[in-house]
Amino acid sequence: MKIKMLFAPFVLLLAGSAMADGEFPSYLNEKYCNDIKLDFITSSIKSLQSYRDKQLVSQHRGGMNNIRKFLDQREDWLKECDQYLSQTKQNRLFLDDATTASIFEAMDSVSDELTSLISGVTYSVDAGGSPTDVAADKFDNLFKLVDDHQTTMLMKGQVVYR
């Protein structure tokens, strides 16, 4: 039993290092990554906007956790594609380095804020304000960055809506 337990970390280490730089899963290609990006900037953003507008203020922790997981999953997919595109010299996922970094930072910021609210962080608010105003602002920043990217791409004739 001890031999198997000692051997297990090496198997995991070997499995984790199986993909060297430049080696990617077979499903990763430019079309797949474009589809993932389009899905994010269209339907995923609509889902996030709907949550922000209709459910965020309720402060329901289960809903916050679900939307945080949804956002984190999309970010993982997008980052995988961005890594693939940048390592295969096909540019970045969102226009350029700065745009890509700012969108990923905004996604992290929203996720971190939702995590804080789920764990019970509270804010003192002015009259008429809500404890979720900070999260709402972070959502709005993400939406603005994605909308700005989408507008730029439309002006270049490079975005197709689903």
Side-chain angles (χ1 to χ4, degrees), residues 10-159:
F10 294 112
V11 171
L12 292 174
L13 180 63
L14 289 173
S17 65
M19 283 202 292
D21 284 344
E23 292 182 29
F24 296 96
S26 61
Y27 62 85
L28 276 177
N29 59 49
E30 190 174 5
K31 181 189 178 325
Y32 169 83
C33 290
N34 191 47
D35 288 347
I36 291 292
K37 178 178 73 171
L38 286 176
D39 182 62
F40 176 72
I41 65 176
T42 57
S43 64
S44 294
I45 286 295
K46 284 180 187 173
S47 295
L48 293 169
Q49 182 77 52
S50 177
Y51 172 79
R52 184 253 184 253
D53 293 344
K54 298 175 184 171
Q55 301 296 320
L56 180 62
V57 74
S58 74
Q59 300 180 49
H60 184 262
R61 289 183 178 161
M64 281 184 192
N65 195 39
N66 289 341
I67 225 50
R68 181 194 56 80
K69 287 178 182 178
F70 174 84
L71 183 62
D72 288 348
Q73 181 185 55
R74 295 325 182 264
E75 184 178 11
D76 288 345
W77 295 346
L78 292 167
K79 281 184 175 179
E80 179 182 47
C81 278
D82 183 58
Q83 182 181 20
Y84 167 77
L85 292 172
S86 64
Q87 286 188 8
T88 58
K89 312 268 187 273
Q90 298 180 44
N91 290 324
R92 298 296 300 267
L93 189 62
F94 296 107
L95 189 62
D96 56 28
D97 292 343
T99 303
T100 301
S102 65
I103 290 174
F104 285 143
E105 287 169 11
M107 292 173 82
D108 287 337
S109 180
V110 170
S111 182
D112 291 347
E113 185 61 29
L114 291 176
T115 299
S116 295
L117 290 170
I118 291 164
S119 67
V121 168
T122 58
Y123 295 98
S124 59
V125 295
D126 295 329
S130 169
T132 58
D133 285 348
V134 172
D137 289 344
K138 291 183 179 193
F139 271 108
D140 291 343
N141 181 51
L142 173 61
F143 300 150
K144 182 185 178 331
L145 291 169
V146 171
D147 188 55
D148 289 351
H149 166 70
Q150 199 169 2
T151 301
T152 301
M153 298 309 286
L154 279 170
M155 291 172 64
K156 291 182 171 196
Q158 296 182 5
V159 173

